[in-house]
Amino acid sequence: MVPVRGSLVSTLAAVLLLSPLTPSPEAGAMAPAGQRSAVEVSASPPVSGAAQDWTPPLSTRGRWIVDADGDRFRLRSGNWHGASGTWNGSGDPADDANHHAGENSGRIPLGLDRASIAEIIAGFREIGINSVRLPFSNEMIHDSRPVTDDAVAANPSLRGRTPLQVYDAVVGELTAAGLAVILNNHTNTTRWCCGVDGNERWNASRSTEAWENDWLFMARRYKDNQRVVGADLYNEVRRTVWDDPNWGLGDDHDWFAASQRVGDRILTEADRDLLIIVEGINWTGIPVDGFAHERPTLEPARRLSHTLVDSGKLVYSAHFYDYTGPHHTGATGTGETSDPRYRDLSPTELIAVLNRQAFFVTAEQDRHFTAPVWISEFGVGGRDETGAKQRAWFENFVDHLIRTDADFAYWPLVGWHEDRKGNGWALLHWDAEGNRMGPYDGDDWRASAWTRLIEAGGRSGPVAPVADWSMLSPDHGDFVQSRRMRALPDWDSGARKAVCPDGQRLLGLSHTGNRGLCSDVAAGALWDPAGGHEVVVDERYVTPGRDWASGYTKLQCPDGRFLIGYSVRGSAVSAALCATAPAGRLGTSGRTVWFDRGDSRGSATKGGDFAYGHYKGQCADDEYAAGVAYTGRVGSSRTPDALYCRKLS
């Protein structure tokens, strides 16, 4: 640690080191569980569904995840943790006492010392899940030390294997049982997450390049297993002692840029079938009263959202636990602020906060940020949790998952017990002799809520294709989201370039800020597979007598072509990129949409605010953009002033 003047940094370090910035059971919830009750709860195991009755790969349609047949696939998931590490970071890693809640996973998914993989998976099927979030660490990928015999005592065929080889076996058994698997890069190092522990960012303990390479390795490793359906890019991005992560600043701490880049690389270089899952930011600021601090979650996506090279592959995710809050780390004692925890909120307040922080992404349709939201972690203590607020929060949260028809993953699925006592957060527990207890043994208060959640109705069956809306954000460099253009030479060297994903056309631009909006609304894919593209840098295609922006420089596509991209130098327009449409698809009558002095987007335009705080212009849903105008007169920065919008045929 670099010495500095004053006590603030020392205070902050102490606070952060003691503050559980991640959801993990707090001390009260980890107390020994009570004896088994003789009173049966009014719940029973969910009707066992055929987890294999779906067709991979998965993709998205608006706010829904669908399978290859176009049927809604709701992620009813749980987390099988352990491979990302359970060691607390101090003391002998071989001593169970130095692991979270005394549960030593042995660097592999928890419980393989106590039950066979087949038995554990049978438990998953019994409680009704259809998918598993399977955490791993970057260290695990490269760990060549064989696991101990004790760690796989109930699975002797795994003796002598490395942690990655055991992970392989678990993935294979899960998918063979028909369950979907989401790979989750949980930590850099193989230790318990998540405080100030070297795992705060994707590049906290290794370079961004190494992190990206690890993801390409993992995506390629399971490419031939179609039931490995998703890449959950990183868990709970949060503050280090000194620095915050951010969403869009373009530096080495920019989670938006890092996740955007690695997501595109996975799809283009490793496995184009995977869902790319981006979690919001878990924590920024100094967790001390009087200093700014918050849990941003997905709120930044409203102003700056991801656009992948393949539409229909983005899923956003968020985590919620009762003892954290929108401005509360979850700490108790030292490091605890006076902010309310989620469990302190009334049901009405809780719903408002949840919607603001995450659920708006699915609730608001036809926006650039519209996508499925997967609540990839939530949970609560079980048999020994007697707190009225904790229990009420869980019931209210489950109600909101049902109300919003959300995808979800409970944390965790697997735990240890001795004499029905231990860390009670898991849904399934095994003791050292291999005896299992589950939520339907009659003494787990969560059983009825869990059954209600698993058996909730919600959307099912076919989901019709919807229009995609995508933001272009060449804020700090190229933002070329077209596979076709990525495969071609640089079409405007030295400029920052932005191109819509293949199948979409440019519909909107901002006057300043360089943002754009793309969609396939009303027309579907317009780019003729046999047609080419043209870079326009002058007015050669402006028809004499049809000057649609007199006195302004106009970059106009030739007839039969439409705008799919643009380039800028600084904030100035550099070139327009036009693609060829099939004959007869594009009309020639047009209108000028000015947006140099205010928004001009029509009264019923979709897509959302794609350039917050800037003037924007947008063509109508039944139009295409055929040109952009700007001026270089004194006082102007050659930023876009007008769009030429023509009717589709």
Side-chain angles (χ1 to χ4, degrees):
M1 182 179 291
V2 180
V4 297
R5 289 184 301 169
S7 60
L8 173 59
V9 172
S10 299
T11 300
L12 173 58
V15 168
L16 288 172
L17 288 169
L18 292 171
S19 297
L21 295 180
T22 182
S24 59
E26 58 186 359
M30 291 164 52
Q35 297 296 323
R36 182 174 184 175
S37 169
V39 178
E40 295 292 320
V41 298
S42 58
S44 58
V47 177
S48 180
Q52 68 273 14
D53 289 344
W54 56 282
T55 307
L58 301 181
S59 57
T60 69
R61 290 181 177 176
R63 64 135 298 176
W64 309 105
I65 297 173
V66 298
D67 72 0
D69 296 325
D71 292 327
R72 197 272 174 99
F73 185 86
R74 187 186 191 193
L75 290 175
R76 302 191 311 270
S77 320
N79 287 269
W80 189 1
H81 75 297
S84 58
T86 51
W87 181 52
N88 284 326
S90 62
D92 183 358
D95 186 346
D96 293 351
N98 297 323
H99 289 254
H100 177 72
E103 297 177 340
N104 183 354
S105 71
R107 298 175 287 137
I108 55 178
L110 187 69
L112 298 182
D113 58 332
R114 302 184 170 209
S116 68
I117 297 178
E119 180 186 344
I120 292 172
I121 292 174
F124 296 167
R125 297 292 301 277
E126 179 183 316
I127 62 176
I129 65 172
N130 62 14
S131 45
V132 172
R133 182 177 185 245
L134 197 63
F136 68 88
S137 72
N138 299 94
E139 183 181 355
M140 183 209 79
I141 296 172
H142 306 281
D143 191 346
S144 61
R145 297 170 297 157
V147 301
T148 66
D149 289 352
D150 287 346
V152 291
N155 295 270
S157 65
L158 300 179
R159 287 178 180 171
R161 300 196 191 187
T162 66
L164 179 58
Q165 290 169 337
V166 173
Y167 192 92
D168 289 340
V170 168
V171 169
E173 292 295 325
L174 287 168
T175 56
L179 294 164
V181 170
I182 296 94
L183 310 175
N184 164 233
N185 186 193
H186 208 71
T187 53
N188 288 185
T189 64
T190 308
R191 60 170 289 184
W192 184 255
C193 169
C194 297
V196 179
D197 54 8
N199 295 308
E200 300 89 347
R201 292 191 311 273
W202 63 99
N203 56 3
S205 296
R206 64 199 59 240
S207 69
T208 297
E209 180 184 13
W211 174 68
E212 290 183 0
N213 289 337
D214 283 349
W215 256 122
L216 296 178
F217 170 83
M218 291 294 278
R220 290 167 180 153
R221 190 173 186 87
Y222 304 109
K223 180 179 181 180
D224 294 333
N225 187 338
Q226 287 255 287
R227 294 191 188 276
V228 175
V229 299
D232 185 352
L233 299 181
Y234 202 71
N235 182 73
E236 296 184 5
V237 173
R238 58 198 182 276
R239 182 185 175 90
T240 63
V241 171
W242 306 109
D243 297 301
D244 281 327
N246 68 79
W247 190 283
L249 294 184
D251 59 16
D252 195 41
H253 298 170
D254 185 346
W255 174 229
F256 170 82
S259 53
Q260 173 73 47
R261 174 179 161 84
V262 78
D264 281 339
R265 290 197 68 192
I266 290 169
L267 292 173
T268 57
E269 300 177 41
D271 186 353
R272 69 185 303 162
D273 287 335
L274 289 176
L275 295 175
I276 302 300
I277 301 167
V278 180
E279 187 179 332
I281 292 179
N282 189 257
W283 187 263
T284 62
I286 302 172
V288 176
D289 284 340
F291 290 88
H293 52 264
E294 65 173 333
R295 189 179 305 279
T297 317
L298 289 171
E299 291 185 69
R302 182 179 288 280
R303 299 186 180 182
L304 177 60
S305 64
H306 294 72
T307 295
L308 298 173
V309 292
D310 294 322
S311 300
K313 287 299 179 183
L314 173 68
V315 174
Y316 281 122
S317 73
H319 295 176
F320 293 101
Y321 290 87
D322 73 274
Y323 58 89
T324 60
H327 296 277
H328 203 301
T329 65
T332 56
T334 303
E336 182 175 8
T337 63
S338 60
D339 305 290
R341 303 171 190 263
Y342 290 114
R343 68 185 179 216
D344 297 324
L345 304 176
S346 71
T348 300
E349 291 170 333
L350 178 63
I351 289 170
V353 168
L354 295 177
N355 289 344
R356 186 190 78 229
Q357 292 198 299
F359 289 85
F360 74 91
V361 175
T362 59
E364 299 180 33
Q365 300 298 294
D366 293 314
R367 302 290 193 270
H368 60 82
F369 53 74
T370 301
V373 167
W374 185 38
I375 305 303
S376 54
E377 285 189 28
F378 77 104
V380 71
R383 290 161 178 80
D384 199 49
E385 179 55 79
T386 59
K389 283 188 174 183
Q390 288 87 334
R391 289 191 174 202
W393 173 86
F394 187 71
E395 296 282 355
N396 291 332
F397 191 77
V398 165
D399 285 344
H400 200 56
L401 292 176
I402 295 171
R403 182 185 303 115
T404 56
D405 200 2
D407 300 83
F408 60 86
Y410 185 88
W411 180 283
L413 287 172
V414 176
W416 289 4
H417 83 93
E418 296 301 329
D419 236 357
R420 306 188 70 79
K421 299 178 181 178
N423 175 18
W425 278 62
L427 291 177
L428 300 166
H429 297 79
W430 279 266
D431 68 13
E433 286 71 46
N435 299 310
R436 196 200 81 178
M437 66 177 186
Y440 298 107
D441 292 345
D443 59 349
D444 192 329
W445 65 273
R446 300 170 298 180
S448 59
W450 179 254
T451 301
R452 193 167 76 250
L453 177 59
I454 287 293
E455 295 188 343
R459 179 76 178 260
S460 63
V463 176
V466 298
D468 290 313
W469 297 89
S470 304
M471 173 189 285
L472 296 181
S473 53
D475 301 9
H476 308 288
D478 285 355
F479 202 78
V480 177
Q481 299 314 105
S482 162
R483 282 180 176 267
R484 291 182 67 173
M485 293 308 302
R486 283 177 173 231
L488 297 174
D490 189 339
W491 51 274
D492 192 359
S493 180
R496 301 195 315 281
K497 294 162 284 292
V499 185
C500 299
D502 294 335
Q504 297 185 37
R505 66 189 187 278
L506 189 70
L507 273 182
L509 281 176
S510 63
H511 175 57
T512 54
N514 302 312
R515 299 283 174 82
L517 180 70
C518 306
S519 184
D520 58 359
V521 66
L526 272 179
W527 195 348
D528 186 346
H533 71 277
E534 183 169 352
V535 180
V536 178
V537 296
D538 55 34
E539 296 189 341
R540 69 183 64 191
Y541 296 115
V542 178
T543 304
R546 298 180 66 180
D547 188 342
W548 50 272
S550 179
Y552 286 72
T553 301
K554 295 163 286 293
L555 306 184
Q556 181 179 330
C557 298
D559 289 350
R561 296 195 175 187
F562 61 98
L563 274 172
I564 59 168
Y566 55 96
S567 58
V568 295
R569 297 176 187 272
S571 58
V573 174
S574 178
L577 181 66
C578 305
T580 304
R585 295 295 304 275
L586 304 181
T588 57
S589 62
R591 67 188 178 102
T592 304
V593 175
W594 293 97
F595 51 95
D596 55 334
R597 298 182 182 180
D599 280 1
S600 182
R601 302 177 59 226
S603 59
T605 47
K606 305 181 185 74
D609 190 340
F610 61 91
Y612 185 84
H614 300 270
Y615 297 152
K616 296 163 286 292
Q618 184 172 333
C619 299
D621 292 356
D622 62 350
E623 295 178 326
Y624 67 96
V628 57
Y630 63 88
T631 179
R633 63 174 177 251
V634 175
S636 172
S637 300
R638 294 180 57 195
T639 59
D641 292 310
L643 281 172
Y644 186 36
C645 298
R646 283 177 156 179
K647 284 284 188 181
L648 296 163
S649 292

